[in-house]
């Protein structure tokens, strides 16, 4: 059986007591019961809880088949989506595949296409440059949108759909567009049915930030060559552990407890730190997960992320000696996928010969351990989540670890972890064009509501 992720909060104990933990344990177990009994606010968005064992097997097989088709007929896959419609997939691909996936040759990628993400900004420069990257090569599109009317992906889809039609014609272009959208309604679903796009479902009971293990995340991940079955197996293993295990052996419940204890002691910011660039987008995914789930009613821990050791040379001073309102959670990858051994040089000009025979990862781990100790000395509580190695199984576990802990933590906090009223108060594109916020209610209530229903999922 694969090794599981582990959680260590020993470097927070200078600030909390066993009595603190015991008191919070009761609240965490109550929150867990509320979550699993589906009696709390937002209980219509709890499909993610059983998703690793209850997913649609027929659709799962269609996802794998579509991925193989894209691999066989496309040099590039354009993934169009924003928020939860792209962050999980990008996090998984960057964590699991080659660090320079889009740069290495196709043979090294084992025949999989380059994968680029757009529809997550409104930059004309970004879009124009991406069009240049695609050029005259064969490509396909995965458009991910619950409604099809969210501004950023809608703009990108228009541009790349036009290029597809010009290149292949209307009929053949339709065979290269894969729409992940609502199962029965919305502008994108209507267009997909009319044009004959293959469609995959954004489940009604799974919010966007919890959707990485649905077709939203699984199709792009599968196209990259990652094993999505093992991703689901890892998530299923985590689900069983976090539902069944007692608090003393339950990493997700402990994480929810410790961060809430520290919040109540004035720690209002959490830094998710990593020590390898491939984990960067896990931090971006995590920021949305906790930011949208807990940041409401004037409450919550502000989630941010750092890439170490890089950011130690820009933010390290502040983290250690600045305001003391933050905690730090480190994602530690136990064993790297590649090993480099330092060699001895005749001229030891850089003074590194003392490291001869050591691996670069050993040096990285020493930097990590030293940083943790320094930050703890600076009164920054530190938690550590360790993956034995980066694999589909362990990443599936990690996704579910954070999702389960987030649901529990939100209920401990006293908010609905599954809505986002702040997102739903954004003004729509029509209001922007008219520069009149009143038109939100008076002139475009239908578009306004449709757009923001989609944002609730995306």
């Amino acid at each position: 059986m694969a090794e599981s992720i582990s959680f260590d909060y020993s470097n927070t104990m200078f600030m909390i007591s066993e009595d603190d933990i015991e008191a919070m344990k009761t609240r965490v177990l109550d929150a867990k019961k509320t979550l699993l009994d589906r009696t709390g606010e937002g209980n219509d968005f709890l499909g993610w809880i059983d998703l690793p064992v209850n997913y649609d097997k027929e659709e799962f097989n269609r996802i794998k088949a579509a991925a193989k088709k894209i691999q066989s007929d496309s040099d590039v896959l354009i993934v169009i989506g924003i928020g939860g419609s792209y962050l999980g997939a990008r996090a998984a691909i960057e964590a699991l595949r080659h660090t320079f996936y889009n740069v290495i040759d196709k043979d090294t990628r084992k025949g999989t296409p380059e994968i680029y993400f757009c529809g997550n900004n409104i930059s004309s420069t970004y879009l124009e440059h991406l069009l240049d990257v695609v050029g005259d090569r064969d490509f396909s599109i995965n458009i991910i949108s619950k409604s099809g009317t969210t501004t950023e992906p809608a703009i990108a889809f228009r541009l790349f759909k036009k290029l597809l039609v010009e290149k292949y014609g209307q009929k053949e272009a339709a065979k290269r567009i894969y729409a992940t959208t609502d199962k029965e309604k919305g502008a994108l679903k209507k267009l997909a049915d009319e044009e004959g796009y293959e469609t995959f479902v954004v489940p009604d009971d799974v919010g966007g930030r919890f959707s990485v293990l649905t077709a939203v995340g699984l199709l792009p991940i599968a196209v990259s060559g990652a094993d999505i079955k093992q991703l689901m197996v890892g998530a299923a293993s985590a689900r069983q552990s976090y539902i069944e295990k007692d608090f003393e052996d339950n990493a997700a419940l402990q994480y929810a407890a410790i961060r809430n204890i520290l919040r109540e002691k004035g720690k209002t910011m959490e830094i998710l730190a990593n020590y390898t660039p491939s984990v960067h987008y896990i931090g971006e995914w995590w920021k949305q997960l906790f930011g949208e789930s807990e940041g409401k009613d004037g409450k919550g821990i502000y989630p941010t992320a750092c890439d170490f050791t890089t950011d130690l040379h820009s933010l390290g001073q502040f983290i250690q000696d600045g305001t003391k309102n933050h905690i730090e959670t480190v994602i530690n990858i136990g064993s790297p996928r590649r090993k480099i051994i330092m060699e001895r040089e005749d001229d030891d000009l850089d003074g590194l010969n003392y490291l001869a025979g050591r691996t670069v990862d050993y040096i990285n781990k020493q930097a990590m351990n030293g940083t943790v100790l320094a930050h703890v000395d600076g009164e920054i509580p530190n938690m550590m989540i360790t993956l034995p190695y980066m694999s589909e199984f362990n990443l599936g576990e990690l996704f579910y670890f954070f999702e389960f802990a987030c649901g529990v933590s939100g209920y401990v906090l006293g908010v609905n972890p599954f809505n986002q009223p702040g997102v739903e108060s954004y003004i729509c594109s029509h209001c922007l064009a008219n520069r009149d916020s009143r038109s939100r209610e008076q002139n475009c209530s239908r578009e306004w509501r449709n757009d923001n229903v989609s944002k609730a999922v995306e």
Side-chain angles (χ1 to χ4, degrees), residues 248-273:
E248 289 72 20
D249 298 311
N250 194 313
L253 297 186
Q254 291 173 358
Y255 175 58
I258 300 301
R259 64 193 305 276
N260 275 289
I261 292 170
L262 291 167
R263 174 185 56 79
E264 293 180 355
K265 292 180 180 288
K267 300 298 185 179
T268 57
M269 178 184 295
E270 181 175 3
I271 300 168
L272 189 73

Side-chain angles (χ1 to χ4, degrees), residues 125-157:
T125 302
Y126 183 97
L127 290 167
E128 186 66 32
H129 286 174
L130 186 52
L131 288 166
D132 290 342
V133 168
V134 174
D136 293 328
R137 294 185 294 169
D138 290 319
F139 75 103
S140 295
I141 294 172
N142 179 202
I143 170 67
I144 307 166
S145 177
K146 182 72 169 172
S147 68
T149 61
T150 305
T151 305
E152 295 91 340
I155 290 171
F157 185 46

Side-chain angles (χ1 to χ4, degrees), residues 138-298:
D138 290 319
F139 75 103
S140 295
I141 294 172
N142 179 202
I143 170 67
I144 307 166
S145 177
K146 182 72 169 172
S147 68
T149 61
T150 305
T151 305
E152 295 91 340
I155 290 171
F157 185 46
R158 279 197 177 197
L159 292 174
F160 284 95
K161 181 178 65 173
K162 179 175 182 289
L163 182 60
L164 265 186
V165 172
E166 289 174 349
K167 184 175 178 64
Y168 300 104
Q170 193 83 25
K171 185 176 179 180
E172 290 303 312
K175 297 177 182 178
R176 290 175 172 269
I177 298 175
Y178 302 82
T180 308
T181 187
D182 192 271
K183 63 182 177 182
E184 58 186 23
K185 63 181 183 298
L188 180 56
K189 174 60 176 172
K190 181 175 184 293
L191 179 64
D193 289 346
E194 290 173 353
E195 298 293 331
Y197 307 157
E198 182 164 9
T199 60
F200 300 95
V201 175
V202 179
D204 289 336
D205 60 353
V206 180
R209 56 188 179 273
F210 289 85
S211 68
V212 61
L213 299 176
T214 71
V216 170
L218 293 179
L219 179 56
I221 296 169
V223 172
S224 78
D227 187 342
I228 58 172
K229 177 63 176 177
Q230 279 301 302
L231 195 71
M232 300 302 284
V233 170
S237 176
R239 174 187 173 277
Q240 182 176 6
S241 292
Y242 304 143
I243 288 176
E244 295 181 0
K245 285 187 176 180
D246 294 335
F247 178 87
E248 289 72 20
D249 298 311
N250 194 313
L253 297 186
Q254 291 173 358
Y255 175 58
I258 300 301
R259 64 193 305 276
N260 275 289
I261 292 170
L262 291 167
R263 174 185 56 79
E264 293 180 355
K265 292 180 180 288
K267 300 298 185 179
T268 57
M269 178 184 295
E270 181 175 3
I271 300 168
L272 189 73
N274 69 77
Y275 284 79
T276 181
S278 64
V279 179
H280 171 83
Y281 266 91
I282 292 176
E284 297 302 298
W285 171 83
W286 171 88
K287 286 194 298 186
Q288 184 195 8
L289 180 68
F290 278 88
E292 284 192 353
S293 296
E294 292 192 329
K296 56 200 70 166
D297 301 337

Side-chain angles (χ1 to χ4, degrees), residues 78-146:
I78 300 296
V79 181
I80 302 174
I82 194 167
S85 293
Y86 93 101
L87 282 170
R90 187 162 189 176
I93 292 168
E94 295 207 3
L96 296 170
R97 313 318 294 159
H98 195 287
T99 301
F100 301 99
Y101 176 89
N102 284 330
V103 178
I104 57 176
D105 63 79
K106 196 169 184 176
D107 288 340
T108 306
R109 291 198 307 271
K110 299 182 179 178
T112 59
E114 296 168 23
I115 301 174
Y116 297 98
F117 295 85
C118 65
N120 49 63
N121 59 65
I122 315 179
S123 167
S124 57
T125 302
Y126 183 97
L127 290 167
E128 186 66 32
H129 286 174
L130 186 52
L131 288 166
D132 290 342
V133 168
V134 174
D136 293 328
R137 294 185 294 169
D138 290 319
F139 75 103
S140 295
I141 294 172
N142 179 202
I143 170 67
I144 307 166
S145 177
K146 182 72 169 172

